[in-house]
Structures are given as structure tokens and as C-alpha cells.
Amino acid sequence: MMRKKWITGICSSVLSISLITLGQGNAFADASAAQAGSGKEVKNVILFITDGMSLSDVNLARWYQGGQPLEMDKYFSGLVRTYATDSLTTDSAAGATAYATGHKVKSETVSILPDKTTMPFIEPTPKQDMNKPLPTLVDAVRLNGKSTGVVFTCELTDATPATFLSHAYSREYAYSIAEQMVYSGVDVLLGGGSDYLVPGKGEVNRKDGEDLTKVLKSSGYEYVTNKKDLLNTQTDKVWGLFNKEALDADFDLNPQQQPSLKEMTQVAIDKLSKNDKGFFLMVEASQIDWFGHDNDPVGVISETLAFDKAFKAAIDFAQKDGNTAVLSVSDHATGGLNMTNYDTAKDLVSILKKAKHTSYGIEGDINEKNFKKMLADNYALPDLTKEEAEAVRKGLKDNLSPVIGKILGERVGVSFSTDDHVAEEIGLFAYHPNNYKPTDFAQSGVIQNIDVNKYIQEVTGLQLAPLEKTLFVSGDQFKTKGATVTIDKTDKQNPVIAVKKGSQSLKLPIDKNIAVIDGKTIKLNALTLMIQNKTWVSQEAIDLIQ
């Protein structure tokens, strides 16, 4: 089932923590902060993004296990502000882009400069740079000879993984995003969404007849689709997609077929850490957000605890390695979860522990004839009221998740204020071998999302600013060299930039990192892109024309 994971527009009523700090200015540490970080560089960074996770979600997950501390608790370091350039409440694309690129951008755009800025503390983009693709941390790491990885539980084209490996005016351009990700040069990619790579009649299958799994294999990747094959991979260049669309929630997955978030994280670390120069790994706990949208407290618990296990695996590696920083942030919070239980923790746990699955886990099996038995067997809800039973019947025709969530919630004192994103600050969890945190870098306990990116640049010694000048430049620069430029749309779904000057002929396929110069195919250091009918190419491509 294809799930709607975001809702456009801004909820008129948002839950926000009223903490005041400096705005966009916090993104740039002053000289004293930079000096404080000297000598604290690390070789590896593991960045977790817990999509949609609020501190209330963490609180619920903690009480689910009897109030015992979570692994993340000891690493809580501060709060992060997440607003976009055009919105108090951000979506995942803009929120994750801030972590990937160090720039706040417009909602629903993927790693490109904004063409709309209405929020305070943010300088408008010069007209000539609007929608310009932005280099990401993955680009910087890759070009410095380090290894890169992206792990997630959603589809590969979903907003957060997309922001680290692709660029688009809309997060909905999955067709383009999937191809860009295949040609991105990332070393390890693990998650869901195999249907996005292959031709077929399904909604998300490719319509151009191109099988991108063949491209991966011809580029030296091992492509796997089940847990057994993942654990037996023999190469350090691996793509693993373990479901046609998103992976199942942790409470629901078949451990014989699908790896858990922890297992994918461990495999990625094992592969990437073989590079002596170091690595960058982004791990997204994708579906906390989805269960927030659907107001399912069991789903929120499932995915928050799954993240906590993966986070512990990363911390265990970092402490043993001694040269790795581990961070966890959210792109935003979702659902506005509230706990108003005046009973004991035992009362709450005794009910929630009886839930065998998330609401997604019974989809396809529950129907109007068996719903009472299904809810009794899977949620220990044998005593539905007449009103609750009628709500379930309606939910079966529309969306059952929030119905089940409300029935459970009323028994344990858990409710949601919205089915949308909320604008509250989210939690920052951080480990550094020398205890140098993003809050030290920003000199504030409440930081901006882009501060996290700037911090990663500092502790790794990487710099994105120089790449912003060379990795993506306007395709019009070919014309300044006296060349003619046309767009070859012979294959309408795979356009090609055609450049001619004298006897030279250059072809640059859109969404790929290859060039055909005078009949010879070479690999480029960046993708060729078309965004809002404007072309963007690497300076390396420009330099091919003499």
C-alpha cells in the first residue's frame, strides 16, 4: 500500500516549545568556537535522522519499557530549530536538506537553493542562483576519498534519503530522484523501494524501460533483496532494497526476509569502516513520522525503539573505534503526541505491551467481518463499544490507523493534537570522542538545523563552500565559450544536453554523472541536472569544451 507521508500546508495550530535563540546567525560559529574545536577532528561521522520524532515520542517509548532509560538518553545535548525558508513548520525535504547541505531551503524542495524566502534571519537567494543544486555532505566526503552510505526504512526516493543523493524542485519527482541516486556514487545504500528501479506496470515502476539494477551491477555494486544475501555480501559496494516499497515496521517485519534498522546500520558500518580515510553514514528512522501522521502510538513506539537499537550499535562502534562522532536529530516532529495518563506506568505498559503489531501490520488481513477478532487477538481489545466498532467500520473504508490509535490512546491516556507536522524544537543527541558537541560549535543549547551540517564540516575538516562554486554551475557557461547548446528530447523521458563547438561534440544525459565527449564516455564528479527548465552541470563538464 502506498502511504501518504506528508501533508501540504501548515497546520494553523502548532505545538511549539517557546525557547528563544538567535536565528540563522547561529549557523556560523565565531572564531572562538572554531578554535575550541581545533584538534577535535574525527575520521567518521554517523548521522541519524529520526523522521518526525518528538521528545514526547521518546517519552512514550521510554515508558513502554517501564521507564527504563533509552540508549539515546545519556547523549541528549540540546534542541534544534527546524523551520524552512518559507514556513514555520517544515516538511522532511527542507528539514533534511538543511542537514545535508547546510542551507535552509523552501519546503518540499530537495537540496536546491530556495526561490522563496519569507522567514526571518534568512537572506534571499540572488535571482541567478535560485533553484541551484547544492553540494551535500555525501558529495564532499566522496570527493575526499572517503566512503559514503545511506540507510533508511522508507522508499529510496522518499525525502530524507533523496536530499543526500539527489536534487529536485519537488520531492515528488521520484522518477528523476531514483536515477540520480543510482548515479550518485554512494558506496552503500540499504532500505526499501526496489520497484522504483525497474520497469513494470506498477504505479512507481519506471516507464522508460530502463532497469537501473543493471546499471548498478555494471558499476560494480552487489545488489541484494533479502536479509540473507545482505549478510553474505562479499563487496564493500552494496545496494540492498528489501521490499518493493517501504520496509515493514520493526514490530511487523519478517526477520527472515527483511533486516532491521539496527542490522542495516551494522552492515553499513562494517562495509564503510574498511576505508582507512574514513566514512560518512546517514541513517534514517523513516517511519516514526508516518505513525505520527496516522496517530498510531504503537507504531511510534515500534520505530522509536528500533532507532534506539540502531543508535546503540553506532555508539558501540564509535566508542571502540575512538575516531567517530555519532549524531541524531529529527527533520521535524509529527503528530503532536500528548501523554495525559494519571494512572501508573504499570497500567500503561500492561495495555500497550499487548499490541502485537502496528496498525500497518494488520492491513490486508483485517476486514468488516473479522475486525473484532483481529483487534482482540492483536491488540487485546475484546471489549469494543458500539461507537468504537462503528468507527472501525468507517476506518476500514478510509484509514484505520488513527481509529485504532484513538481506541488504544483513550485507554492509556495518549492522544495526538494533529495529523500534520508541528513546529516544536526537536532533540539533539550527540557523541564525540572528545566530547565536542554541536552545541559547543554553535555556543548555544538551542541550535539551528544547519548548525549540525556546519559542525560536521568542522569536525571532519570538509568544506562545502568551495564545492558550491564548482560542482554545479549554469549550463549557459557553454555558450560563453562559443558553443551551441540544445536539449535532445528524442527519448522524452531521458533528455540529453547536446553541446557543439567546432569539431567537438559533448552529450550530457540528465540525472546522470556521465559525459560522452567526441564519442568517448567518461564519468564526471557530479550529476547533470535540469531544474525548472534550467540546466546545471559540473565545472568539470564545462572544461571539456575547449
Side-chain angles (χ1 to χ4, degrees):
M1 178 180 177
M2 192 71 164
R3 289 206 161 266
K4 186 173 179 70
K5 297 169 284 294
W6 57 277
I7 301 173
T8 57
I10 305 172
C11 182
S12 61
S13 177
V14 293
L15 179 64
S16 178
I17 301 173
S18 299
L19 292 167
I20 300 175
T21 184
L22 293 177
Q24 184 85 345
N26 266 0
F28 304 98
D30 61 20
S32 62
Q35 186 175 5
S38 63
K40 295 180 180 177
E41 288 190 5
V42 294
K43 189 168 68 172
N44 314 309
V45 172
I46 303 171
L47 172 64
F48 285 86
I49 299 181
T50 50
D51 197 328
M53 189 180 82
S54 68
L55 292 179
S56 293
D57 294 341
V58 177
N59 186 30
L60 177 61
R62 191 183 295 114
W63 281 117
Y64 176 83
Q65 55 181 35
Q68 292 297 317
L70 298 167
E71 178 68 22
M72 69 181 98
D73 287 353
K74 66 186 76 171
Y75 303 101
F76 179 76
S77 302
L79 298 174
V80 181
R81 303 181 73 186
T82 62
Y83 59 88
T85 64
D86 64 333
S87 173
L88 186 71
T89 306
T90 188
D91 83 310
S92 293
T97 291
Y99 298 127
T101 71
H103 288 265
K104 285 185 180 288
V105 302
K106 189 175 73 172
S107 295
E108 299 178 30
T109 62
V110 178
S111 294
I112 62 174
L113 284 171
D115 59 8
K116 181 180 180 182
T117 300
T118 58
M119 290 293 291
F121 315 118
I122 305 171
E123 290 295 324
T125 306
K127 186 174 181 179
Q128 69 272 16
D129 289 336
M130 288 181 177
N131 303 318
K132 179 181 180 179
L134 288 163
T136 71
L137 288 169
V138 169
D139 292 319
V141 170
R142 171 176 56 84
L143 294 172
N144 275 271
K146 296 188 175 190
S147 293
T148 59
V150 174
V151 171
F152 45 90
T153 60
C154 55
E155 302 94 342
L156 77 158
T157 59
D158 204 19
T160 299
T163 61
F164 285 84
L165 303 176
S166 68
H167 313 266
Y169 190 74
S170 170
R171 56 182 286 174
E172 293 300 291
Y173 296 167
Y175 181 91
S176 170
I177 289 169
E179 189 155 53
Q180 290 182 49
M181 294 176 84
V182 166
Y183 285 90
S184 68
V186 67
D187 295 295
V188 176
L189 183 144
L190 306 174
S194 60
D195 267 8
Y196 288 82
L197 300 187
V198 295
K201 297 180 180 180
E203 180 183 352
V204 303
N205 287 133
R206 297 195 66 78
K207 307 308 177 186
D208 61 355
E210 188 173 10
D211 185 342
L212 294 178
T213 65
K214 293 181 179 179
V215 176
L216 290 170
K217 293 171 185 176
S218 67
S219 301
Y221 289 94
E222 189 169 353
Y223 179 68
V224 297
T225 57
N226 60 66
K227 177 178 173 179
K228 179 180 178 181
D229 288 346
L230 173 66
L231 299 180
N232 291 325
T233 52
Q234 299 300 310
T235 177
D236 296 331
K237 291 185 66 175
V238 179
W239 269 56
L241 298 177
F242 308 103
N243 206 15
K244 292 181 178 181
E245 294 188 20
L247 301 187
D248 294 328
D250 199 64
F251 280 5
D252 305 327
L253 66 81
N254 179 346
Q256 302 304 316
Q257 289 294 321
Q258 295 183 16
S260 66
L261 185 65
K262 175 184 176 181
E263 289 167 333
M264 291 191 293
T265 300
Q266 289 174 318
V267 169
I269 291 173
D270 179 63
K271 302 290 186 186
L272 300 175
S273 62
K274 294 178 182 178
N275 187 336
D276 291 337
K277 294 182 178 180
F279 69 85
F280 170 79
L281 172 63
M282 190 286 291
V283 180
E284 185 197 22
S286 313
Q287 298 182 37
I288 302 172
D289 172 67
W290 301 7
F291 289 111
H293 279 303
D294 278 334
N295 292 179
D296 179 351
V298 176
V300 167
I301 293 167
S302 166
E303 301 312 280
T304 301
L305 292 180
F307 151 67
D308 199 52
K309 294 172 185 175
F311 185 75
K312 183 179 188 305
I315 292 290
D316 289 345
F317 168 82
Q319 292 178 333
K320 183 178 179 180
D321 173 70
N323 204 9
T324 299
V326 181
L327 307 170
S328 179
V329 288
S330 303
D331 44 6
H332 54 74
T334 304
L337 185 146
N338 303 291
M339 290 186 66
T340 55
N341 191 316
Y342 283 89
D343 296 322
T344 67
K346 183 178 180 180
D347 294 324
L348 179 137
V349 171
S350 65
I351 294 175
L352 289 179
K353 284 281 188 179
K354 292 175 182 176
K356 299 177 182 178
H357 294 285
T358 73
S359 58
Y360 297 178
I362 60 173
E363 287 179 348
D365 296 323
I366 189 170
N367 56 54
E368 191 166 352
K369 292 182 179 180
N370 69 7
F371 75 83
K372 291 184 178 180
K373 184 177 188 307
M374 288 287 293
L375 294 180
D377 292 347
N378 289 279
Y379 295 95
L381 292 173
D383 54 345
L384 296 180
T385 66
K386 181 179 179 181
E387 291 76 15
E388 289 172 339
E390 183 58 30
V392 171
R393 290 188 181 94
K394 291 181 180 179
L396 286 167
K397 299 176 183 179
D398 181 22
N399 184 3
L400 184 60
S401 295
V403 177
I404 296 176
K406 184 177 181 180
I407 294 172
L408 279 174
E410 288 178 344
R411 286 161 168 74
V412 297
V414 174
S415 62
F416 294 82
S417 63
T418 180
D419 61 3
D420 208 340
H421 299 169
V422 292
E424 65 185 85
E425 284 78 20
I426 53 86
L428 166 70
F429 304 86
Y431 167 84
H432 184 284
N434 291 316
N435 205 33
Y436 178 64
K437 308 290 182 64
T439 47
D440 299 317
F441 169 81
Q443 296 186 309
S444 174
V446 182
I447 69 174
Q448 292 283 354
N449 48 13
I450 55 176
D451 287 323
V452 176
N453 176 282
K454 305 295 182 182
Y455 165 84
I456 292 173
Q457 290 187 57
E458 175 168 302
V459 298
T460 57
L462 299 172
Q463 295 185 17
L464 286 176
L467 293 181
E468 292 177 13
K469 299 177 181 179
T470 61
L471 212 58
F472 299 104
V473 300
S474 172
D476 291 340
Q477 289 198 21
F478 284 121
K479 297 178 182 178
T480 66
K481 302 183 82 170
T484 60
V485 181
T486 58
I487 305 297
D488 181 355
K489 295 184 178 179
T490 303
D491 181 347
K492 293 181 180 180
Q493 293 174 316
N494 290 287
V496 177
I497 300 174
V499 184
K500 291 187 177 181
K501 181 183 179 184
S503 61
Q504 281 192 298
S505 173
L506 174 64
K507 294 183 178 181
L508 299 167
I510 301 295
D511 292 336
K512 299 180 181 179
N513 68 336
I514 58 176
V516 182
I517 178 72
D518 299 329
K520 181 182 179 181
T521 301
I522 62 174
K523 183 178 289 188
L524 300 172
N525 63 1
L527 298 162
T528 297
L529 303 166
M530 180 180 290
I531 298 174
Q532 295 298 90
N533 295 316
K534 183 172 182 178
T535 58
W536 300 92
V537 303
S538 70
Q539 185 64 49
E540 182 183 27
I542 298 290
D543 294 341
L544 291 173
I545 296 296
Q546 303 302 316

